[in-house]
Amino acid sequence: MTRGTRMIVGAVVALAVVAGLGWLIFGRGESGPVVNVYSARSHYGTEAVFKRFTEETGIRVEILGGEPGALVDRIAAEGERTKADLLITTDAGFLWKATEEGLLAPVTNAALEKAVPENLRDAQGRWYAIALRARTVMRSTERVPQATAPATYAALGDARWKGRLCLRTSNNVYNQSLVATLIADRGEAAARTILESWMANDPIILGSDTEVLEAIAAGRCDVGLTNTYYLGNKLKEDPAFPVAPVWAEQDAGGTHVNVSGVGLTTAATHREDAIRLMEYLLTPEAQRLIAEGNSEYPVLAGVPSAEWIRGWGEFTADTRPIVRAGEFQAQAVQLMNEVGWK
Ligand code: FE2
């Protein structure tokens, strides 16, 4: 390389790092079958599952990692020229957005339809869930006994949690999807009442789910609201981490669950192999690897969750179609702004 070329390569690498993008390639060589994946789950411990797929099929998997919104925008901007055969992303809100923009193609497939319950996939087969996470109440195991912990989302607005509640920022899609489902299921007025009661408790607003869990552990607050896998990943490192989930809404509706999912792009050039990878992701072997990689719940019935989260016990999940997290997203963002959720 000349000095000039080195500088250009260096600049490109630096840009990619800044943009949070990076290609991960499983399998060797430039020739032979390949599936290109744009994945917002590249930091979710998914390496093992793609490696296994390549070992079993000889199909290389090239992964471009990045933030979900950025990847959806990129597929839209690249149009017919996109390299992406598959989009894998966290949160039904983003999957919904990708379908709204016409970026995902219908896949009618008996194996996928059998593996993924109807409420966890697009009605036209444009995306299928590959992993599940609950977003529920978290409590300090040192200061909040299970018996007195908030057992519903509304209960986080009870006055006894004033100054004791931690929440993540409202610009986060996980919160937006939860609020979207509250609006879809209870109507906007009821959702507003719940959010106003949370705000009346002067919540400490933090930048990530992990920060919420750490704040509870450190005694800055006693209860919070996070995705389960963040706690799972903490417990994997430190089984004594003093936070436990409370399964919300067990008497009615069930705990809010959201998905990570996969969809075939409309511009896919490796259709057949891409669908083969989709099918593989929903086999028992892949489901176990996915669940253990990020302490999530498998989608496929009969596959156990990671050993370190089994102590949380069984819970009733909300089984209404998760697509409403996308359909009511805009309304949710507006409502969160209106109640002053920072
Ligand atoms: Fe996450």
Side-chain angles (χ1 to χ4, degrees), residues 248-329:
E249 313 292 340
Q250 294 301 282
D251 294 334
T255 303
H256 171 74
V257 289
N258 206 322
V259 303
S260 287
V262 61
L264 181 75
T265 66
T266 42
T269 49
H270 307 101
R271 258 188 92 93
E272 236 172 82
D273 288 338
I275 292 172
R276 236 177 122 181
L277 177 52
M278 289 173 80
E279 288 173 349
Y280 174 71
L281 292 174
L282 284 145
T283 59
E285 175 186 68
Q287 285 285 293
R288 187 180 53 77
L289 292 172
I290 290 172
E292 290 189 347
N294 190 44
S295 311
E296 280 179 272
Y297 290 99
V299 169
L300 188 67
V303 176
S305 52
E307 183 258 317
W308 53 92
I309 67 168
R310 279 180 217 153
W312 295 343
E314 304 270 310
F315 67 99
T316 302
D318 183 348
T319 54
R320 289 164 284 198
I322 190 56
V323 68
R324 71 205 197 289
E327 292 164 350
F328 288 84
Q329 194 95 177

Side-chain angles (χ1 to χ4, degrees), residues 44 67-68 91 133 135 165-176 179 198-199 203-213 221 223-227 229-230 336 340-342:
Y44 279 68
E67 292 299 317
D91 207 281
R133 61 278 296 287
R135 190 164 189 78
L165 170 65
C166 276
L167 293 174
R168 185 173 181 168
T169 49
S170 63
N171 66 6
N172 165 256
V173 72
Y174 304 147
N175 281 332
Q176 293 166 0
V179 172
W198 294 357
M199 294 305 117
I204 300 175
I205 305 290
L206 297 165
S208 71
D209 280 19
T210 300
E211 282 180 59
V212 169
L213 293 169
C221 38
V223 291
L225 190 59
T226 75
N227 285 355
Y229 58 86
Y230 291 105
M336 292 160 100
W341 186 344
K342 298 293 176 208

Side-chain angles (χ1 to χ4, degrees), residues 38 50 55 57 67 77 93 101 110 133 144 148-149 157 162 182 184 189 200 202 228 236 248-249 261 300 318 333:
Y38 284 11
F50 296 114
E55 284 164 10
T57 63
E67 292 299 317
E101 296 187 15
R133 61 278 296 287
V144 183
T148 60
K162 194 169 176 99
L182 292 176
D202 301 327
T228 43
K236 187 181 180 184
E249 313 292 340
L300 188 67
D318 183 348
V333 171

Side-chain angles (χ1 to χ4, degrees), residues 2-332:
T2 65
R3 190 157 168 266
T5 321
R6 267 203 304 273
M7 281 174 69
I8 291 167
V9 170
V12 169
V13 169
L15 266 176
V17 169
V18 167
L21 303 173
W23 281 99
L24 260 176
I25 301 170
F26 299 96
R28 281 173 192 284
E30 302 274 300
S31 58
V34 64
V35 175
N36 295 307
V37 181
Y38 284 11
S39 174
R41 283 183 57 91
S42 50
H43 308 301
Y44 279 68
T46 43
E47 294 82 2
V49 80
F50 296 114
K51 237 168 127 178
R52 282 297 295 148
F53 175 74
T54 299
E55 284 164 10
E56 285 175 26
T57 63
I59 300 168
R60 273 187 303 135
V61 180
E62 294 201 9
I63 299 199
L64 177 75
E67 292 299 317
L71 291 178
V72 171
D73 290 346
R74 182 167 170 153
I75 295 173
E78 290 171 340
E80 281 303 307
R81 292 182 358 265
T82 188
K83 242 186 126 179
D85 298 304
L86 296 179
L87 170 68
I88 295 183
T89 187
T90 48
D91 207 281
F94 287 119
L95 292 161
W96 179 82
K97 185 169 184 265
T99 62
E100 282 296 288
E101 296 187 15
L103 307 179
L104 300 180
V107 174
T108 309
N109 180 290
L112 294 174
E113 283 161 21
K114 188 166 171 242
V116 183
E118 237 172 45
N119 61 306
L120 302 176
R121 56 179 154 93
D122 176 58
Q124 295 175 46
R126 293 170 298 180
W127 55 263
Y128 293 84
I130 60 168
L132 282 179
R133 61 278 296 287
R135 190 164 189 78
T136 196
V137 174
M138 295 287 165
R139 68 176 173 95
S140 158
T141 52
E142 291 165 342
R143 296 178 303 282
V144 183
Q146 165 82 36
T148 60
T152 63
Y153 296 108
L156 285 172
D158 192 291
R160 72 196 167 103
W161 304 113
K162 194 169 176 99
R164 302 170 68 190
L165 170 65
C166 276
L167 293 174
R168 185 173 181 168
T169 49
S170 63
N171 66 6
N172 165 256
V173 72
Y174 304 147
N175 281 332
Q176 293 166 0
S177 287
L178 172 64
V179 172
T181 61
L182 292 176
I183 295 171
D185 301 339
R186 308 174 192 214
E188 212 211 49
R192 182 184 298 271
T193 302
I194 293 173
L195 264 51
E196 281 174 349
S197 71
W198 294 357
M199 294 305 117
N201 277 341
D202 301 327
I204 300 175
I205 305 290
L206 297 165
S208 71
D209 280 19
T210 300
E211 282 180 59
V212 169
L213 293 169
E214 285 169 354
I216 296 172
R220 286 180 71 195
C221 38
D222 293 331
V223 291
L225 190 59
T226 75
N227 285 355
T228 43
Y229 58 86
Y230 291 105
L231 178 60
N233 291 340
K234 282 273 179 208
L235 290 170
K236 187 181 180 184
E237 302 280 301
D238 173 15
F241 190 76
V243 179
V246 184
W247 300 121
E249 313 292 340
Q250 294 301 282
D251 294 334
T255 303
H256 171 74
V257 289
N258 206 322
V259 303
S260 287
V262 61
L264 181 75
T265 66
T266 42
T269 49
H270 307 101
R271 258 188 92 93
E272 236 172 82
D273 288 338
I275 292 172
R276 236 177 122 181
L277 177 52
M278 289 173 80
E279 288 173 349
Y280 174 71
L281 292 174
L282 284 145
T283 59
E285 175 186 68
Q287 285 285 293
R288 187 180 53 77
L289 292 172
I290 290 172
E292 290 189 347
N294 190 44
S295 311
E296 280 179 272
Y297 290 99
V299 169
L300 188 67
V303 176
S305 52
E307 183 258 317
W308 53 92
I309 67 168
R310 279 180 217 153
W312 295 343
E314 304 270 310
F315 67 99
T316 302
D318 183 348
T319 54
R320 289 164 284 198
I322 190 56
V323 68
R324 71 205 197 289
E327 292 164 350
F328 288 84
Q329 194 95 177
Q331 247 179 284

